[in-house]
Amino acid sequence: MADQRQIPLPREARRDRTIQEYEHDVYKITGKLKEPTVCPKCGAVFHKGRWTWAPKPPGAHEVLCPACHRIRDRYPKGLLKLSGQFLVDHREELLGLAHNEEAKAKAEHPLSRIITIDEEDGTTLISTTDTHLPRRIGEALRHAYHGELNLHYNKDEEFIRVTWARET
């Protein structure tokens, strides 16, 4: 009979390794969409793995795009907070610049949109469907009107908070 050696088991299981959590985003489409697919709300077309602006192909499948889904649920991926006396005095100019930046971004990236613009106690809060648009608007405001720009990117949540303020 062969001599079988037993390897002694550690007293406790090792718990010193890190486990990568699964990134969970309910607005990210899982699996492959049938091509071509079109969003029935905005008309964006999913083709070759990305959403683009293109004419609706005949016989296209219909699925709500992630941006329209976020807009419907009012669930932003980025926030931009504007404040200061300069905002009170030049509100229309600043919002016009925000809408122009959205139009430029949306022309190239259909999922980059403004969800809402809310007014609260002398501040304006702009919520967006992606993390790049608030930064882009904030940088455009700083370039055009100076002021103080702060970015806070939370990588765990895939969320960005941008604040821009100018007093005079």
Side-chain angles (χ1 to χ4, degrees):
M1 182 171 207
D3 182 26
Q4 291 185 351
R5 292 186 166 182
Q6 288 188 347
I7 300 173
L9 295 173
R11 291 186 185 139
E12 285 186 28
R14 289 187 60 170
R15 300 193 196 300
D16 62 346
R17 63 186 178 118
T18 58
I19 298 172
Q20 292 292 339
E21 287 191 38
Y22 174 74
E23 184 180 317
H24 180 69
D25 185 0
V26 295
Y27 297 98
K28 195 172 201 172
I29 295 173
T30 58
K32 284 190 171 186
L33 292 176
K34 293 182 180 179
E35 292 205 21
T37 298
V38 67
C39 177
K41 185 138 176 117
C42 68
V45 176
F46 186 81
H47 183 61
K48 294 185 180 178
R50 64 179 299 218
W51 290 94
T52 61
W53 296 117
K56 180 181 177 180
H61 301 278
E62 291 189 350
V63 171
L64 198 63
C65 73
C68 288
H69 195 173
R70 282 185 180 277
I71 290 168
R72 183 190 68 193
D73 294 348
R74 293 180 154 243
Y75 192 79
K77 202 166 183 182
L79 291 174
L80 171 63
K81 182 179 179 181
L82 310 176
S83 61
Q85 185 59 40
F86 192 81
L87 169 67
V88 174
D89 298 339
H90 302 275
R91 182 180 179 281
E92 295 306 316
E93 285 178 54
L94 299 178
L95 292 181
L97 186 138
H99 285 296
N100 289 342
E101 288 300 317
E102 177 202 21
K104 283 188 235 173
K106 191 166 82 170
E108 192 173 329
H109 306 286
L111 303 183
S112 184
R113 302 185 211 156
I114 290 176
I115 298 174
T116 60
I117 299 176
D118 299 317
E119 300 289 325
E120 292 180 16
D121 302 328
T123 63
T124 299
L125 191 64
I126 300 173
S127 60
T128 66
T129 58
D130 77 337
T131 57
H132 303 288
L133 187 57
R135 180 191 49 79
R136 182 177 178 153
I137 295 170
E139 287 175 352
L141 287 168
R142 183 177 59 188
H143 179 74
Y145 302 105
H146 306 290
E148 185 179 332
L149 179 67
N150 292 312
L151 306 166
H152 177 69
Y153 180 71
N154 188 340
K155 189 171 182 172
D156 294 335
E157 295 180 14
E158 290 286 322
F159 191 83
I160 189 167
R161 291 181 193 279
V162 178
T163 58
W164 180 85
R166 180 175 165 191
E167 291 306 319
T168 56

